[in-house]
Amino acid sequence: MLAELEQIKTDALSAIEAIADESALEEARVGFLGKKGRLTAASAGMRDVPREQKKDVGQKLNEVRTAITEALEEKGAGLTAVRDAAAFASIDPTLPARSLPKGGLHPLTHVLNEAVSVLRRMGFALAEGPEIETEWHCFDALNTPEDHPARNESDTFYFENGKLLRTHTSSVQIRTMEKEVPPVRIIAPGSAFRRDEIDATHLSAFHQLEGLYVDKNVSLADLKGTLEYFFREIFGSKTEVRFRPHFFPFTEPSFEVDLKLHATGKAAKWIEIAGCGIVDPAVFSEVSKQRGDAAYDPSEISGFAFGMGLDRLAMIMYGIPDLRLLIENDVRFLGQFS
Amino acid sequence: MNVSLKWLSDHVDFSEYSMSELDDLLTFTGIEVEGIQSLPDHVVVAEVLSSEGHPDADKLSVCQVDDGSGTPRQIVCGAKNYQVGDKVALALPGCVLDGGDGKTFEIKEGKLRGVESLGMMCAAAEIGLTDDADGLLILSPDLKPGTPLSEVYPAVFELEITPNRPDCLSHLGVARELAALAGKPLRGSAHHGNSKTPAREAKSDEIQISTESCPYYTARVIRGVKVGESPSWLKEKLESIGLRPINNVVDITNYVLMEMGHPLHAFDMARLDGGIHVRAAAAGEEFLALDGETYALTAEDMVIADGSRAVAIGGVMGGDDSGVTEATTDILIESAYFVPSAIRRTARRLNLHSDSSYRFERGADPHQVNGASDLAVQWILELAGGTAESEIVTCGGVPAPPVSVELDNDYVRSVIGAEITNEEISSILKSLGMEEGSGEWKMPSYRLDLPRAVDLVEEVARVYGLDKVPANQKSWFSAASKADVSFDFASKIQSHLSSLGFFEARNLKLISEAQLADDVATSHRGMSPVRLKNPLNDEQDYLRPGIVPGLLATAGRNVRFGNPDLRLFEMGRVFTATPKGGEVEHEHLALLMTGAKAPRSWASGKVNGKPENVDIHDLRAVLEAFCPAGLNLVPVDDDRMLCACSIEIGSGKKSAKLGLAGIVSPARARELDLEAPVMVAEINLKKLAAATNADLTYAELPKFPGSSRDVAMVVPADLAAGEVAAFLEAHEEPLLQSVELFDVFQDPSGEKLPADKKSLAYSITYRSPDRTLEAAEVENAHLKLLDSLKSGLHVDFR
């Protein structure tokens, strides 16, 4: 009996050793350990084993069963590993990616988002106004003389009802002051329109960012601190900023802001980037007339305003040479900013 | 305006300033330097020593010139306007000249028709001095051969003077400003305006004014002048700033204009018929100006007329047949003050802008009318001879005297935000020509732009400079405005869409009438598009009522650029007109998808070897990704698109209608070069925001397993899946948890299924929140559902 068991073990182990696939493994399991398997059949012979040998034969039986079971498991694990490896063997990880669709925001949106996020940290809230404006909001309230060239039909888009497409976002200053009382601290990004033929440096519709701060005792020092901080956040803390005297009808004193910037490989030069100034008291007077109250009494409050062209900012920040690229929306262009 | 450094130096000594320091000085005066012109290098003064005919070319001559080197230089020349002994401009080999159209050419030693030529003698236009291209530039005989021409005509600044500063539209004016900023004295007078000539009021047959556009007019007559060439100092002055010398009298009026900023006009007395009448033009009156053009005038224009006709458009341009010529002996010098708005109106309407109108429309100094006349007369007598009448004849009066402005220095300090001392303030204002009174300042007559205290603050700030002003940082907490909320909402959708593979486009908001037909926006049912009164062209004469038209044009352009697979979105303002004549502006979002689902690659899905195109179901997937739950596409009748669907959140009467989606008509798409199907959607952002519930609340996760049953039903081919979905949604069964359409089958051949039928297969899940369902309960619920489908929708089950 013991010899028979030993023989079964030897046969089983060599048979398992030779197995090459999982179905043969299952056959072997059934052939040795199944209901009609050899070991099962042999164990039925326990009945006839003399009593004093039962213990030894029983132990042998267990030993053989354990050995065959372990061999089967080991072989099984080996075969699974081979199958797993085979399943991934044909994969070439160096193939190009299975593409996810590529998308992204317009460069102007990037510039706008960056500017807005800096200004919001500085405590400015957003404001908006209509793009189809009245002449009063766009010009009169902003102290623009009646025969100012900007009011010309050759420079500004008009509608039959006398309204116009706002030529600057400064009209949002007026819209805001009509509704809100000081202190006011707003920024207004948006479209503006001028009757310009489209070329590399002109668009008939472009984007501006307007800012307005009205409170008691607002001075040029506040304006300077605000814009210097803003531009250094955008262009780097060491950026040189200069304020050049200029003229706008709705601010007095007025300045243009230049930054010293350099395009790659070129010497740094002053680049005009924004207009700003102390709100002209005439603007407050006009707003007060419209409101019919003293909330914007120019002898009590003062303010500063600034405005910049976002298209121009995008040109400078990304080195875009031609404004028309911004309205062409070629996806090869748009893809450079995602 | 062009300003010559040499001319400025007549008034202020800038010798220790470098060009870039002067540039900075001008910049901080508030005068923008647009460019600095200087003559090209290697152009020198040369004297023509001899000139002989070219052996092989009739039109050329061979000249020997003295270029200052001591050895004569041979130059072949085509011009005829010089004589031996003349001093001319010679470009030496190595000199680079502007050839026009942004091109340059270099002067080289070479042969012209076989004869050696070692340089080029130049016309004024060739070296960029003036626009005179006729013949050689003949220089002053006093110049030494070899002198670089850039010493004769030093650098010229191209300045941009802001419209509030007409007083700076002259050399004296700019010099005055620079002197104040640099703290330097002016040489001579700050002002030529103080006339010493006795004035006499005009008799009615001498000067008559019958228009409010001219408050003051003066005439001075000089008899017996000899009109001829100007001396070289005068010609050089005018040439250096780009003006072409004409004759001594005209050159002097131009000189006074550029020196003082006051335009004058000289008439030939022999060509005037009687006295001067300043009047409104007759409607329809035609006028031949000295630029050779005939202008049709209206009663809004002002003319200077004699007894029989108009001889000038007042303040704008003289006439063709009354000006000074070589034959002129007696002249009348006009010096006047015209109302700015009148000149501006005329110049603009006639599109006739002259150096004269430019200054009058910005505002000339009324107090230097007589002085300007004096200066011109003085120079004419000196350069052209003749005898001036002893009196200047005047008509009308000089408007309002210079203003005085009260100024509180504390106000100055509070606006600027810096501790500027009273002494500093006084010194700055005095340097600008103002006179201090008690608490007030008297303006010089040339500063018409300073009527208020705040205007003086600007003057102080400008001269003081912002460099010395501290940079304050102050801020506070700001509450989010409505605009903040919508900006953040839009930003979220923008980044969501860009992660979904969409590029953001930004199109012009102006579109053509033809593009209006592409509009699919639904915010403006019953309203009309907004049309411009004065469009630039008929490609941009309407404000967009929706965004899709622009996106379609962008898609077509991209296909032509070779980008056929597109996922685009755009957000922004759209415009419509209300029946009452008002306008409404909405914020919209539009999407466009066309071309392959994924770029052609080893991994992308293909149909017949080609990448699979996007379809309306891809668009729906995108809509579901960023819209709130419960999105439905409800087919609507709309002939602008195929498969037009209303985009709705929820169903039935309570649904929110956000916009429209569909497939662009293939015929229209092909017109735009779009061959693959084009899906578009346009959504009203405000409605989307309203439908998007910002208050998210937790719902308990299911604790007990659900049980699913599949059902395949055969329905008419034209029954929309949406109708079945709506039916299932309305089915009242508390255990019904979810319905999923997992198969749609149609067989056009009719073999497996009649061709007019389709099979829809749903997986239906039943679940109870508080127990595991018994098989019988599920079966029961499912049978009820099947019964209901059969009776309600008349479906068969497979």
Side-chain angles (χ1 to χ4, degrees):
Chain A
M1 183 74 183
L2 286 173
E4 189 195 345
L5 287 176
E6 185 59 33
Q7 187 58 49
I8 291 173
K9 180 179 160 189
T10 310
D11 291 352
L13 293 185
S14 67
I16 290 167
E17 176 66 34
I19 283 170
D21 62 61
E22 284 170 316
S23 63
L25 188 71
E26 181 58 15
E27 265 173 42
R29 193 189 62 77
V30 172
F32 290 99
L33 302 180
K35 276 182 189 166
K36 293 176 182 170
R38 276 175 69 190
L39 191 64
T40 316
S43 65
M46 272 295 280
R47 280 186 304 242
D48 309 324
V49 174
R51 195 189 169 104
E52 64 278 12
Q53 288 175 19
K54 271 200 196 294
K55 191 180 167 204
D56 288 347
V57 173
Q59 275 179 354
K60 184 70 184 174
L61 195 63
N62 276 338
E63 178 212 309
V64 171
R65 188 185 300 278
T66 305
I68 295 174
T69 306
E70 282 176 358
L72 282 169
E73 279 173 6
E74 193 185 331
K75 190 70 187 182
L79 288 176
T80 307
V82 168
R83 182 165 50 99
D84 285 349
F88 296 97
S90 64
I91 289 178
D92 175 358
T94 66
L95 278 172
R98 177 173 279 125
S99 54
L100 288 174
K102 208 179 140 200
L105 301 182
H106 193 281
L108 210 61
T109 306
H110 286 300
V111 172
L112 172 66
N113 287 347
E114 196 176 339
V116 167
S117 83
V118 173
L119 287 160
R120 278 176 154 186
R121 272 192 274 122
M122 296 165 68
F124 286 90
L126 285 163
E128 59 191 9
E131 294 176 22
I132 298 178
E133 260 303 1
T134 64
E135 197 165 350
W136 186 80
H137 285 94
C138 194
F139 293 127
D140 299 321
L142 288 159
N143 195 34
T144 313
E146 219 162 281
D147 58 356
H148 192 278
R151 297 195 190 220
N152 251 347
E153 279 199 13
S154 60
D155 293 350
T156 297
F157 290 117
Y158 281 90
F159 302 97
E160 287 296 348
N161 64 7
K163 288 191 188 169
L164 48 80
L165 278 175
R166 67 180 181 198
T167 57
H168 44 202
T169 44
S170 306
S171 54
V172 184
Q173 291 182 27
I174 306 300
R175 291 275 172 190
T176 305
M177 290 192 279
E178 280 182 301
K179 289 189 306 239
E180 322 258 328
V181 293
V184 161
R185 195 176 172 89
I186 55 114
I187 47 170
S191 292
F193 303 81
R194 285 182 200 168
R195 207 168 163 279
D196 279 333
E197 290 287 351
I198 294 174
D199 63 27
T201 54
H202 294 90
L203 293 178
S204 51
F206 48 96
H207 300 83
Q208 285 188 331
L209 177 73
E210 188 79 14
L212 174 70
Y213 171 34
V214 182
D215 198 354
K216 287 192 187 315
N217 300 317
V218 178
S219 72
L220 271 179
D222 301 321
L223 172 61
K224 181 183 174 184
T226 300
L227 288 186
E228 276 187 356
Y229 177 83
F230 171 72
F231 285 117
R232 286 177 183 156
E233 283 291 291
I234 302 274
F235 288 97
S237 58
K238 300 225 165 65
T239 308
E240 286 181 69
V241 182
R242 75 176 186 189
F243 292 81
R244 194 160 36 76
H246 199 71
F247 171 76
F248 303 109
F250 37 94
T251 48
E252 183 94 334
S254 306
F255 293 88
E256 279 193 327
V257 185
D258 296 343
L259 303 185
K260 198 161 207 174
L261 299 172
H262 50 90
T264 334
K266 286 188 184 155
K269 63 172 186 181
W270 289 109
I271 292 176
E272 175 189 326
I273 200 131
C276 63
I278 295 293
V279 177
D280 195 304
V283 174
F284 290 139
S285 300
E286 201 61 26
V287 166
S288 299
K289 248 191 273 168
Q290 184 80 358
R291 290 178 58 100
D293 66 12
Y296 287 89
D297 179 351
S299 63
E300 292 294 322
I301 50 102
S302 55
F304 68 66
F306 59 87
M308 65 194 88
L310 290 171
D311 310 83
R312 187 170 162 73
L313 213 55
M315 282 177 104
I316 294 166
M317 286 172 73
Y318 297 117
I320 297 168
D322 188 327
L323 276 177
R324 285 168 294 197
L325 285 163
L326 293 174
I327 56 165
E328 221 165 44
N329 299 305
D330 184 334
V331 294
R332 295 166 302 177
F333 170 79
L334 297 174
Q336 296 177 14
F337 307 95
S338 53
Chain B
M1 183 182 67
N2 286 350
V3 165
S4 144
L5 178 54
K6 195 176 175 187
W7 195 333
L8 279 182
S9 307
D10 290 355
H11 302 292
V12 190
D13 177 11
F14 287 119
S15 52
E16 78 270 32
Y17 278 76
S18 71
M19 287 304 278
S20 74
E21 283 167 337
L22 268 177
D23 187 340
D24 277 357
L25 189 60
L26 282 160
T27 300
F28 285 98
T29 308
I31 297 176
E32 203 170 322
V33 179
E34 293 195 310
I36 299 176
Q37 296 171 4
S38 43
L39 291 188
D41 289 338
H42 308 296
V43 181
V44 298
V45 176
E47 181 176 345
V48 182
L49 300 174
S50 68
S51 172
E52 283 164 16
H54 188 288
D56 294 323
D58 292 345
K59 291 188 174 162
L60 296 179
S61 345
V62 181
C63 302
Q64 301 298 323
V65 303
D66 174 5
D67 62 4
S69 67
T71 321
R73 180 180 284 270
Q74 179 167 298
I75 307 285
V76 177
C77 175
K80 298 285 177 218
N81 67 321
Y82 63 92
Q83 290 167 354
V84 170
D86 275 351
K87 302 276 170 58
V88 297
L90 173 68
L92 295 170
C95 174
V96 178
L97 294 179
D98 185 3
D101 297 334
K103 290 179 190 141
T104 57
F105 66 95
E106 189 183 331
I107 304 294
K108 295 187 177 127
E109 297 186 355
K111 286 184 177 176
L112 272 174
R113 305 291 287 270
V115 176
E116 193 166 53
S117 181
L118 306 175
M120 182 172 101
M121 301 199 286
C122 302
E126 284 167 328
I127 52 172
L129 189 62
T130 70
D131 61 356
D132 191 350
D134 294 339
L136 300 183
L137 170 67
I138 308 296
L139 302 168
S140 161
D142 307 332
L143 294 172
K144 212 169 140 293
T147 309
L149 216 64
S150 56
E151 287 180 17
V152 183
Y153 301 100
V156 166
F157 292 99
E158 289 171 54
L159 302 181
E160 164 89 27
I161 310 282
T162 54
N164 58 325
R165 297 301 305 274
D167 62 300
C168 286
L169 293 172
S170 66
H171 282 81
L172 179 59
V174 172
R176 235 167 12 211
E177 277 296 296
L178 293 181
L181 257 92
K184 288 172 130 323
L186 270 183
R187 288 170 169 164
S189 168
H191 198 194
H192 287 299
N194 307 317
S195 168
K196 295 191 187 74
T197 310
R200 166 174 73 77
E201 209 156 300
K203 292 178 224 142
S204 63
D205 62 347
E206 285 175 318
I207 307 172
Q208 202 187 329
I209 299 176
S210 59
T211 165
E212 286 175 1
S213 301
C214 177
Y216 186 57
Y217 193 96
T218 72
R220 185 94 182 271
V221 171
I222 309 175
R223 297 186 195 276
V225 298
K226 189 169 183 308
V227 176
E229 207 178 325
S230 294
S232 42
W233 68 263
L234 179 55
K235 284 201 288 180
E236 278 163 18
K237 260 201 160 87
L238 296 178
E239 281 163 344
S240 69
I241 57 168
L243 288 180
R244 187 201 290 223
I246 312 283
N247 60 47
N248 48 10
V249 173
V250 173
D251 291 353
I252 287 164
T253 59
N254 281 333
Y255 165 74
V256 172
L257 171 77
M258 294 302 173
E259 165 77 0
M260 297 178 62
H262 200 95
L264 303 173
H265 190 67
F267 293 105
D268 183 343
M269 289 288 282
R271 297 160 88 183
L272 288 182
D273 173 17
I276 296 286
H277 184 193
V278 185
R279 60 166 168 85
E285 185 168 355
E286 292 202 335
F287 181 74
L288 177 61
L290 56 80
D291 62 359
E293 302 280 334
T294 298
Y295 295 92
L297 307 180
T298 73
E300 284 207 325
D301 303 317
M302 164 180 44
V303 294
I304 313 301
D306 63 8
S308 52
R309 82 239 196 260
V311 290
I313 305 174
V316 180
M317 191 169 277
D320 186 52
D321 62 355
S322 58
V324 174
T325 67
E326 302 285 324
T328 302
T329 57
D330 298 349
I331 57 175
L332 181 150
I333 302 293
E334 163 197 297
S335 184
Y337 176 76
F338 298 112
V339 172
S341 57
I343 303 299
R344 194 173 307 150
R345 209 164 43 223
T346 293
R348 193 174 294 160
R349 196 177 51 74
L350 299 178
N351 195 21
L352 176 57
H353 301 279
S354 62
D355 283 330
S356 170
S357 70
Y358 188 73
R359 283 159 181 80
F360 279 127
E361 71 180 44
R362 280 164 178 73
D365 177 359
H367 293 269
Q368 67 175 14
V369 171
N370 293 20
S373 177
D374 270 12
L375 185 66
V377 169
Q378 176 195 327
W379 278 114
I380 290 169
L381 296 180
E382 182 158 341
L383 301 181
T387 315
E389 284 184 354
S390 60
E391 292 165 318
I392 181 165
V393 180
T394 70
C395 186
V398 175
V403 286
S404 283
V405 178
E406 282 181 32
L407 186 68
D408 172 358
N409 287 347
D410 285 337
Y411 173 61
V412 178
R413 285 183 278 269
S414 79
V415 174
I416 296 179
E419 286 306 315
I420 310 176
T421 63
N422 291 344
E423 290 70 34
E424 281 175 299
I425 293 171
S426 290
S427 135
I428 287 171
L429 295 178
K430 278 180 193 159
S431 75
L432 292 167
M434 292 162 212
E435 289 167 32
E436 190 165 15
S438 56
E440 61 172 31
W441 290 86
K442 184 166 176 262
M443 298 306 126
S445 66
Y446 48 83
R447 292 306 299 270
L448 303 167
D449 60 319
L450 308 172
R452 305 170 301 166
V454 69
D455 301 317
L456 296 190
V457 173
E458 170 167 65
E459 293 303 283
V460 175
R462 188 166 68 86
V463 178
Y464 185 73
L466 242 54
D467 270 3
K468 288 179 264 174
V469 172
N472 287 355
Q473 296 192 352
K474 80 179 172 199
S475 180
W476 66 75
F477 306 155
S478 281
S481 64
K482 268 188 196 166
D484 278 303
V485 174
S486 28
F487 181 88
D488 290 339
F489 180 73
S491 288
K492 238 159 63 184
I493 290 182
Q494 283 172 326
S495 41
H496 200 154
L497 282 168
S498 83
S499 317
L500 288 169
F502 281 72
F503 279 114
E504 186 194 17
R506 280 175 176 266
N507 283 291
L508 281 187
K509 291 174 191 164
L510 295 170
I511 64 174
S512 68
E513 185 166 10
Q515 280 181 289
L516 289 176
D518 293 334
D519 174 45
V520 300
T522 55
S523 294
H524 53 270
R525 288 280 158 81
M527 300 200 214
S528 48
V530 186
R531 185 175 192 177
L532 289 174
K533 179 182 166 196
N534 58 337
L536 265 174
N537 52 52
D538 57 11
E539 292 296 300
Q540 297 168 21
D541 49 356
Y542 281 91
L543 275 169
R544 64 181 186 190
I547 297 177
V548 163
L551 272 188
L552 275 175
T554 282
R557 204 157 44 233
N558 268 292
V559 167
R560 290 190 290 280
F561 290 150
N563 319 317
D565 307 326
L566 298 166
R567 289 165 176 244
L568 300 169
F569 79 95
E570 180 170 353
M571 271 184 191
R573 208 67 71 89
V574 301
F575 309 82
T576 45
T578 64
K580 285 184 178 166
E583 299 85 13
V584 187
E585 301 182 17
H586 291 287
E587 293 291 334
H588 274 197
L589 160 69
L591 305 172
L592 181 148
M593 300 174 82
T594 185
K597 269 185 188 174
R600 186 169 181 220
S601 101
W602 64 274
S604 60
K606 295 180 187 73
V607 178
N608 301 330
K610 285 184 182 165
E612 199 180 343
N613 279 333
V614 290
D615 57 31
I616 191 96
H617 313 298
D618 294 299
L619 177 64
R620 180 171 183 150
V622 171
L623 292 172
E624 285 190 359
F626 72 86
C627 288
L631 181 116
N632 281 314
L633 289 187
V634 182
V636 289
D637 279 334
D638 195 310
D639 52 12
R640 293 171 298 184
M641 286 194 289
L642 301 179
C643 298
C645 289
S646 164
I647 304 168
E648 302 183 7
I649 304 297
S651 57
K653 281 185 183 159
K654 278 192 282 178
S655 68
K657 295 184 169 57
L658 306 185
L660 204 64
I663 304 169
V664 175
S665 131
R668 173 59 180 152
R670 275 189 291 270
E671 280 174 16
L672 295 162
D673 297 330
L674 298 162
E675 294 295 330
V678 184
M679 299 340 115
V680 293
E682 177 127 5
I683 288 175
N684 182 313
L685 268 182
K686 197 171 160 190
K687 290 184 180 167
L688 174 61
T692 304
N693 184 3
D695 301 328
L696 301 174
T697 42
Y698 164 75
E700 204 174 2
L701 298 175
K703 287 200 178 93
F704 298 94
S707 185
S708 295
R709 297 287 186 278
D710 289 352
V711 56
M713 54 185 103
V714 176
V715 300
D718 60 0
L719 178 69
E723 280 186 46
V724 181
F727 185 86
L728 289 171
E729 198 181 323
H731 179 70
E732 283 178 21
E733 168 53 67
L735 297 180
L736 180 63
Q737 162 104 27
S738 64
V739 172
E740 190 186 332
L741 178 63
F742 68 86
D743 190 47
V744 178
F745 176 72
Q746 262 184 294
D747 186 6
S749 70
E751 278 174 31
K752 292 181 181 155
L753 200 64
D756 62 346
K757 300 276 183 187
K758 67 181 169 188
S759 158
L760 302 175
Y762 290 88
S763 173
I764 297 174
T765 302
Y766 300 91
R767 191 200 302 274
S768 162
D770 49 17
R771 64 188 195 281
T772 302
L773 292 178
E774 304 281 337
E777 284 180 284
V778 175
E779 210 48 49
N780 196 20
H782 191 56
L783 283 174
K784 276 200 295 191
L785 175 65
L786 297 187
D787 278 349
S788 167
L789 279 167
K790 203 167 208 166
S791 57
L793 281 179
H794 310 292
V795 304
D796 294 321
F797 301 106
R798 289 174 88 191

